[in-house]
Amino acid sequence: MARNKFDVDENLESPFDIKHFRRAMVYIKRQKKPMLIAFALSALSAAIGLSAPLIMQHVVDVTIPAKAYEPLVGWSALMLLTIVVSVVLATIRSRIMTKVGQDIISEIRIDLFKHLQQLPFKYYDDRPQGKILIRIVNYVNAVSDVLSNGIINFILEIVNLIFIAAFMFAVDVRLSFVTLAGLPVFLGVMLLIKTRQRRAWQAVSNKSSNLNAYTQESISGIGVTQMFSREQRNEGIFTRLAANYRFEWMKAMRFNALIPFSVDNLSTIVTALIYLVGLLALGPADITFGVILAMSSYAARFWQPILNLSNLYNSFINAVAYLERIFETLDEPVTIRDNPGAKALPPIQGQVTFDNVTFGYDSGLNILENLSFDVKPGESIALVGPTGAGKTTVVNLISRFYDVSGGSIRIDGHDISQVTLKSLRSQMGIMLQDSFIFSGTILDNIRYGKLDATEEEIIAAAKTVRADDFIREFEQGYLTEVNERGSKLSQGQRQLISFARTLLADPRILILDEATSSIDAKTERLLQEGLNELLKGRTSFIIAHRLSTVKNCDRIMYVSNKGIAEAGSHDELLARKGFYHRLYTAQKMEA
């Protein structure tokens, strides 16, 4: 559980290898046609651009010595044309690759989001939301250019090197070898820093993830922060995380800066050697000034692709750290899914059977052990007991948000592990403790679980749970815009809207987890009237700490000690003077 903390670096589940990059090629291959066009345009632009030094050499060695000034205008126009055509082709190519890059970003991000939608609750229990969010947004952005322009540019720069080398050797073999003399030094520098550079960017990735996680957590808990005057302490924590990120970033950038520094200096030294060898060692009798001028131009051009390749290498090293995180997320197993051969659950009556069910969130630590009970269709069951005993766990297992460790759960005789999740959950109405409100209108929030619901059905559901009155008090009524998590609404209003959303689906099995915990006593009495009608003919599981809300349930189960300590009606359990009696008596005394 250590990775569930914002100040703990994530460890990769497996080391990076080339297969991760091959997996990324799946997205690249989908853009094969535009990328081939872009590559052709780039190659043509490069070839045209490389003709400029040859034109310059001809002018210096032939046209000017012959004092043929009239052709100079034509040669100048031709050189200008090569520049214009090269720029136009490069612009078209850039526009194509911008679209390709955005298409790749979109596909990776959609695949990530789809996968996250299917991951079980346990995945989110173990990780801060900020560390998940950064993978969908920041990390995908970071790899997009490498997976689009990076591939094209890598191939193009190699082609450029081949073209430039061919032109160089065609002009002068001896000075060409002078140009190539700096390559061994450059390769030595690359080999020396590559491992440390990758580790440095992995560290940057970790610190960025930590900073993002704490920022998200702080924004979500801003009310608690201000309530306890924690602003100054939180600023100190954020400052420390930001300083860690800055330190790792600067360390990684030092490695990045070393490569262009090496290339620039090697290019300068090689160019100086060309003039030195050409003018002093060979001399005017053996080599013309036009050749030296052309070779110095080609030498500068030769090292430019190497610098570009080194920058691409830097980008690739950076992207590797992010690709590792992206594919780690995509490789996260979807443990709660339709099993092979799963069939659709037919329309149910609502019989629920627990048969020797054992379950624990962590291996070796069971919350429930050998739990067995049977609920008849239409029966209302209240789950009460101490905090942490497993009440919410029971209803989570019925909905198959988690899989049991042992035993089985059946609905109308069907093992829920052998039916499709959609057919199971579509026949359930589930209201968890967290009354989550999405950004949008109140109408959209109630309709969230039944998109084809009419406005009349939505209003009817709101009236049943006594939400209609307060909704109509808003100026825009049901069309009132609410923020994410419903910050404009009271906690009680949020719960009533969530309750209406649950009831709208007209479920056969109704699960209410602390559904009335934030509703005042007057509203609760009104809500109970609607609930009494709603619960008729439906199997229901109700979790509530306020026992006044569950007195009328058909059966009350006291959950404790990894199972059901006692069960019966309200009157039966009071007569036993056991766990429920003590809990009920204690609440009456507190009241």
Side-chain angles (χ1 to χ4, degrees):
M1 299 293 285
R3 59 181 170 184
N4 197 35
K5 298 178 64 179
F6 61 81
D7 58 348
V8 175
D9 292 342
E10 296 178 281
N11 290 319
L12 289 174
E13 307 297 341
S14 59
F16 177 82
D17 56 45
I18 195 63
K19 72 179 182 182
H20 290 301
F21 193 71
R22 286 200 294 266
R23 288 178 63 180
M25 290 298 292
V26 172
Y27 298 97
I28 297 169
K29 287 178 180 178
R30 295 172 188 168
Q31 305 294 328
K32 181 169 62 176
K33 184 177 179 180
M35 289 182 76
L36 286 174
I37 294 173
F39 175 73
L41 292 174
S42 298
L44 184 59
S45 173
I48 291 172
L50 285 172
S51 64
L54 291 178
I55 296 173
M56 182 173 60
Q57 178 193 350
H58 180 81
V59 169
V60 172
D61 285 347
V62 178
T63 306
I64 293 178
K67 298 183 179 181
Y69 299 118
E70 291 183 5
L72 279 176
V73 177
W75 287 115
S76 299
L78 182 60
M79 181 169 281
L80 179 62
L81 181 63
T82 63
I83 295 172
V84 171
V85 171
S86 181
V87 169
V88 170
L89 293 177
T91 301
I92 297 173
R93 176 258 190 190
S94 177
R95 291 183 177 180
I96 292 173
M97 290 312 299
T98 297
K99 183 180 183 302
V100 167
Q102 288 303 309
D103 288 344
I104 290 175
I105 283 179
S106 179
E107 290 180 4
I108 295 177
R109 188 168 286 138
I110 288 171
D111 284 351
L112 267 173
F113 185 77
K114 284 181 179 178
H115 191 68
L116 287 169
Q117 294 284 290
Q118 298 172 4
L119 290 176
F121 279 15
K122 182 169 175 53
Y123 176 81
Y124 297 96
D125 293 341
D126 290 350
R127 290 163 179 80
Q129 295 177 11
K131 290 195 176 187
I132 299 171
L133 180 63
I134 197 173
R135 298 184 182 211
I136 303 177
V137 182
N138 302 52
Y139 291 176
V140 174
N141 286 343
V143 303
S144 64
D145 195 55
V146 172
L147 297 182
S148 54
N149 282 305
I151 301 297
I152 290 290
N153 288 339
F154 182 79
I155 299 172
L156 179 64
E157 297 301 348
I158 291 195
V159 172
N160 274 347
L161 277 176
I162 294 172
F163 281 176
I164 293 169
F167 276 85
M168 283 196 310
F169 277 94
V171 174
D172 191 276
V173 175
R174 296 163 298 182
L175 294 182
S176 297
F177 281 113
V178 173
T179 303
L180 298 176
L183 273 180
V185 179
F186 173 74
L187 293 175
V189 172
M190 293 288 286
L191 290 172
L192 186 65
I193 69 170
K194 69 172 187 176
T195 301
R196 284 179 286 180
Q197 188 178 22
R198 178 182 176 231
R199 289 174 181 169
W201 281 108
Q202 284 181 339
V204 170
S205 173
N206 280 329
K207 301 310 178 186
S208 174
S209 180
N210 294 347
L211 186 62
N212 195 75
Y214 186 70
T215 302
Q216 191 276 335
E217 180 182 294
S218 298
I219 292 173
S220 298
I222 190 65
V224 179
T225 295
Q226 294 182 359
M227 184 186 306
F228 289 95
S229 301
R230 278 263 310 196
E231 294 91 341
Q232 188 171 358
R233 183 172 177 81
N234 288 2
E235 287 171 13
I237 295 173
F238 184 87
T239 300
R240 174 171 57 84
L241 293 173
N244 290 341
Y245 175 76
R246 179 183 179 277
F247 174 80
E248 296 297 344
W249 173 268
M250 295 302 296
K251 181 179 176 182
M253 286 305 297
R254 283 196 290 271
F255 286 111
N256 274 24
L258 185 60
I259 293 178
F261 172 80
S262 301
V263 170
D264 287 342
N265 282 279
L266 285 171
S267 176
T268 302
I269 292 170
V270 165
T271 301
L273 285 175
I274 287 174
Y275 281 98
L276 185 65
V277 172
L279 294 175
L280 299 181
L282 299 178
D286 198 22
I287 195 168
T288 66
F289 183 69
V291 169
I292 294 175
L293 198 61
M295 285 301 299
S296 64
S297 178
Y298 279 128
R301 288 169 180 255
F302 178 80
W303 283 96
Q304 186 58 47
I306 292 179
L307 177 59
N308 293 341
L309 284 171
S310 65
N311 289 333
L312 285 171
Y313 176 78
N314 278 339
S315 299
F316 177 75
I317 289 295
N318 302 353
V320 163
Y322 301 129
L323 276 174
E324 289 172 315
R325 299 298 198 271
I326 290 170
F327 287 125
E328 182 194 29
T329 303
L330 286 173
D331 288 339
E332 194 70 34
V334 180
T335 55
I336 307 298
R337 66 191 316 165
D338 293 342
N339 288 319
K343 298 179 180 179
L345 180 66
I348 61 175
Q349 297 300 312
Q351 181 183 12
V352 178
T353 302
F354 272 56
D355 187 3
N356 289 314
V357 169
T358 297
F359 173 78
Y361 293 101
D362 296 310
S363 178
L365 186 62
N366 291 332
I367 301 296
L368 304 172
E369 285 185 354
N370 301 316
L371 175 62
S372 296
F373 62 81
D374 188 75
V375 178
K376 298 175 182 178
E379 192 175 6
S380 59
I381 303 296
L383 298 173
V384 302
T387 301
K391 303 184 295 296
T392 298
T393 300
V394 170
V395 295
N396 281 341
L397 292 176
I398 297 172
S399 311
R400 204 181 161 216
F401 290 137
Y402 301 87
D403 274 333
V404 298
S405 306
S408 65
I409 301 173
R410 298 188 298 276
I411 295 180
D412 287 4
H414 299 277
D415 189 331
I416 63 172
S417 67
Q418 301 304 317
V419 301
T420 62
L421 289 172
K422 184 175 182 181
S423 66
L424 171 68
R425 294 173 183 168
S426 64
Q427 300 189 65
M428 292 186 176
I430 305 169
M431 183 175 174
L432 303 176
Q433 287 175 298
D434 182 14
S435 303
F436 195 93
I437 298 297
F438 297 89
S439 57
T441 65
I442 293 176
L443 191 77
D444 291 336
N445 268 279
I446 298 176
R447 184 186 276 145
Y448 188 84
K450 188 180 179 183
L451 298 179
D452 60 348
T454 65
E455 188 171 338
E456 290 74 19
E457 290 175 323
I458 293 171
I459 293 174
K463 286 181 176 179
T464 300
V465 301
R466 302 303 189 263
D468 181 72
D469 291 340
F470 86 79
I471 292 174
R472 292 189 183 277
E473 290 177 2
F474 292 115
E475 186 176 348
Q476 300 296 323
Y478 284 84
L479 298 180
T480 300
E481 292 281 342
V482 291
N483 298 332
E484 179 185 344
R485 293 189 176 273
S487 59
K488 293 182 178 179
L489 303 170
S490 70
Q491 178 63 23
Q493 290 172 333
R494 291 199 294 271
Q495 281 197 295
L496 288 174
I497 290 174
S498 298
F499 206 38
R501 178 169 60 201
T502 301
L503 302 187
L504 183 63
D506 192 23
R508 299 307 306 162
I509 296 178
L510 186 64
I511 295 173
L512 308 176
D513 189 347
E514 292 295 335
T516 60
S517 61
S518 298
I519 299 174
D520 59 79
K522 179 181 178 181
T523 305
E524 184 182 353
R525 285 193 296 271
L526 294 174
L527 177 60
Q528 195 66 46
E529 296 174 9
L531 277 178
N532 291 337
E533 292 300 318
L534 176 73
L535 295 179
K536 289 180 180 179
R538 290 184 173 85
T539 304
S540 58
F541 291 86
I542 303 171
I543 298 175
H545 283 100
R546 284 191 291 189
L547 301 184
S548 59
T549 63
V550 300
K551 288 194 302 182
N552 296 325
C553 288
D554 296 323
R555 199 173 357 153
I556 299 172
M557 295 182 179
Y558 189 96
V559 183
S560 179
N561 196 26
K562 303 181 181 180
I564 305 299
E566 58 183 13
S569 68
H570 173 72
D571 292 334
E572 289 172 346
L573 292 179
L574 286 182
R576 291 183 190 177
K577 297 187 181 300
F579 296 104
Y580 180 78
H581 178 270
R582 287 196 292 271
L583 184 63
Y584 185 76
T585 303
Q587 285 198 7
K588 285 193 68 175
M589 291 178 64
E590 290 174 2

